[in-house]
Amino acid sequence: MLTTGAVWRLYHGDQEIARLTVTGGDFPWMHADVETRPGFEEFRSVFAEQEQAVDDEDWERADACYERIRKSLTMTFPDGEPVAEFLLHIHADGTAGWRWSDEPFDED
């Protein structure tokens, strides 16, 4: 699953909207090249807004983007099993970074 070349998948409902091919990692972050699929365009703007919010250190806006992403999208491991929790950034250059957990993140 953490192997270079492994493919994680991003879904909106039951529609696969992106494939994330692992290029490496820097624990706890994974890095990948993104292959967008039909249905991704609907979410491109929220990922762009999230990236801008992080660049601006506007954490409230970044958190709001995260909430929109997590309410709408799901991710699966390369074996097809669902990821319980993830924090995903898809960048304008076609790369992604994310961290994940087998259990939901604490809401503290």
Side-chain angles (χ1 to χ4, degrees):
M1 123 176 68
L2 307 179
T3 307
T4 299
V7 178
W8 297 53
R9 298 180 190 318
L10 189 65
Y11 291 88
H12 178 233
D14 61 358
Q15 181 182 13
E16 180 185 354
I17 65 166
R19 293 180 183 169
L20 311 173
T21 302
V22 175
T23 57
D26 183 16
F27 186 81
W29 291 93
M30 302 284 298
H31 304 285
D33 289 327
V34 179
E35 176 191 346
T36 60
R37 314 276 298 162
F40 181 80
E41 285 305 315
E42 177 181 347
F43 299 97
R44 187 178 299 277
S45 63
V46 72
F47 284 108
E49 182 180 348
Q50 179 188 50
E51 186 170 21
Q52 186 62 54
V54 170
D55 288 347
D56 294 344
E57 297 184 6
D58 183 344
W59 307 122
E60 189 173 309
R61 189 169 56 136
D63 286 347
C65 292
Y66 162 76
E67 292 298 326
R68 289 181 7 222
I69 291 164
R70 287 299 290 129
K71 285 180 180 167
S72 301
L73 304 176
T74 57
M75 180 183 271
T76 61
F77 292 107
D79 66 4
E81 290 297 312
V83 176
E85 186 70 69
F86 61 92
L87 174 58
L88 173 64
H89 299 273
I90 295 182
H91 310 291
D93 67 359
T95 63
W98 73 96
R99 52 191 299 184
W100 59 274
S101 176
D102 289 330
E103 298 179 9
F105 294 148
D106 291 333
E107 294 294 321
D108 298 340

